[in-house]
Amino acid sequence: MHRLFSWLAISLAAGCLLGGCRGADGVGGDGNNVLVRVGEHRLTQEELDDAMPVGLSPADSASFAAEFIRAWVEDILLYDVAAENIPGMARIDRMTEQFRRELVIFEYQKQLMNEKLSRTIPESEIQAYYDSDPERFRLKSGIVKGLFLKVPRNAPRISSLKKWYKSDKPEAVENIEKYGLRNAVIYEYFYDRWVPFREVMNNIPCEIGDETAFLQTHRTIEWEDSLYVYLLNIKDVLVEGRAMPIDFARKQIEEILLTRRKNEFIRDMQKDLYESALKRKEIEFREAGNKM
């Protein structure tokens, strides 16, 4: 007796997908729109629909269905052969159950934290954590405040722009703002926030040697290639090894404190569950020499 109920079902399933046939009984009289049966394993129309990419043409849908069903059948056949021939299936079953428990617990914890755990960290907690160990927050590379522009070489008034970008006076900034909106490929104004210097340099096709030495001696960069002009004005700089400003460290601190809050939430939840189960006498411990 063939373990595969019907290889013809592959073609029939693809045809049904195109023709819209949804028999109540499916292959071999099975319910739930079963398309293919291999022994006790069944592939349903719903499972195929879930796997089907959106937007395929009827011809591509039929091709995908045939390939998906064939792959499913081959996978089931290989699984059954493997399950019959490898030792230690009990160990695999235990590992599978353990993984399932961990996955269910993870999803439940995530659901609870989304519903009940605040993600807002008060400024006082951020400041207290920062002050508790300032040495923890040392810069591993330079950061800057400033302004960056990337404009086409054929853009108008390049000579004026090269004067404006070096100034942070309101008039110059206004001129740059108007110019940048009309002509710049990239216009970044960050006089009011710290940005990693390397992040800025990713937009400029020039190489510098010693970053710290460069930042200590330069406040502007003007660079050109065959297509663009690159202009960087550095207002403030902090080099590698200096104390990290709290504004720059804030995101890192928030992530640390939020992770701590999540861990505490999970520990408290587990403790409450355990103590409640003890009170309700849902947990039994075997005493020495006694059987459960």
Side-chain angles (χ1 to χ4, degrees):
M1 179 178 181
H2 295 293
R3 297 178 66 253
L4 174 59
F5 188 85
S6 177
W7 277 100
L8 182 59
I10 295 177
S11 299
L12 290 175
C16 283
L17 185 67
L18 282 171
C21 60
R22 300 291 180 99
D25 294 330
V27 172
D30 291 312
N32 299 320
N33 291 325
V34 173
L35 298 176
V36 186
R37 179 165 64 84
V38 181
E40 298 301 318
H41 307 281
R42 292 168 175 78
L43 177 67
T44 66
Q45 181 70 49
E46 287 75 13
E47 291 173 299
L48 177 59
D49 289 344
D50 288 341
M52 181 74 68
V54 177
L56 294 183
S57 67
D60 289 339
S61 295
S63 177
F64 177 88
E67 292 177 5
F68 182 85
I69 294 170
R70 175 64 180 257
W72 179 88
V73 169
E74 291 176 346
D75 184 67
I76 292 298
L77 291 172
L78 181 59
Y79 169 80
D80 284 348
V81 171
E84 291 174 359
N85 289 278
I86 66 169
M89 278 301 294
R91 179 179 62 86
I92 293 176
D93 289 341
R94 289 194 300 271
M95 292 172 60
T96 302
E97 178 59 26
Q98 177 64 28
F99 176 76
R100 182 180 183 278
R101 283 200 302 270
E102 291 173 357
L103 182 60
V104 170
I105 290 171
F106 173 79
E107 290 296 327
Y108 178 64
Q109 290 174 342
K110 184 170 68 173
Q111 176 183 321
L112 282 181
M113 287 188 288
N114 287 336
E115 293 173 354
K116 299 183 179 182
L117 186 66
S118 172
R119 281 169 167 72
T120 302
I121 307 296
E123 185 63 29
S124 58
E125 287 187 32
I126 295 174
Q127 186 69 54
Y129 188 84
Y130 179 84
D131 293 338
S132 67
D133 188 4
E135 290 301 315
R136 182 184 314 167
F137 300 101
R138 291 285 171 181
L139 290 169
K140 294 182 172 60
S141 60
I143 58 176
V144 295
K145 290 183 178 181
L147 177 144
F148 171 69
L149 290 135
K150 174 183 176 181
V151 297
R153 286 194 63 172
N154 60 359
R157 305 184 69 186
I158 293 290
S159 58
S160 297
L161 180 63
K162 288 183 177 181
K163 295 177 182 178
W164 297 333
Y165 92 97
K166 295 178 183 179
S167 173
D168 59 356
K169 293 181 179 179
E171 182 180 352
V173 173
E174 183 179 352
N175 288 333
I176 292 171
E177 184 80 23
K178 293 177 181 178
Y179 186 95
L181 292 173
R182 293 172 183 164
N183 302 291
V185 177
I186 300 176
Y187 169 49
E188 291 288 344
Y189 178 96
F190 49 98
Y191 281 132
D192 55 350
R193 58 189 172 89
W194 292 104
V195 174
F197 179 62
R198 293 177 183 174
E199 184 178 303
V200 179
M201 290 304 297
N202 286 338
N203 296 306
I204 305 176
C206 70
E207 296 183 5
I208 60 173
D210 187 322
E211 178 189 283
T212 299
F214 181 89
L215 288 173
Q216 289 173 336
T217 56
H218 293 74
R219 284 297 178 269
T220 62
I221 294 178
E222 294 185 12
W223 188 265
E224 296 184 22
D225 58 23
S226 61
L227 296 175
Y228 300 104
V229 175
Y230 308 84
L231 303 172
L232 171 64
N233 183 47
I234 300 173
K235 177 185 177 183
D236 292 316
V237 59
L238 288 172
V239 298
E240 177 184 353
R242 294 287 301 276
M244 189 182 296
I246 189 169
D247 287 343
F248 191 75
R250 178 171 280 102
K251 184 176 181 180
Q252 177 183 344
I253 295 173
E254 286 177 342
E255 290 176 354
I256 292 171
L257 294 178
L258 184 57
T259 299
R260 178 186 293 178
R261 183 180 290 181
K262 289 178 179 178
N263 292 336
E264 290 174 353
F265 178 86
I266 291 171
R267 283 198 300 270
D268 290 344
M269 178 188 67
Q270 291 173 330
K271 181 181 178 182
D272 290 343
L273 285 173
Y274 184 82
E275 291 179 351
S276 296
L278 282 177
K279 290 179 181 178
R280 293 193 299 268
K281 297 183 179 180
E282 295 176 352
I283 305 173
E284 297 181 27
F285 295 98
R286 187 182 70 180
E287 296 181 3
N290 293 332
K291 294 183 178 181
M292 294 291 291

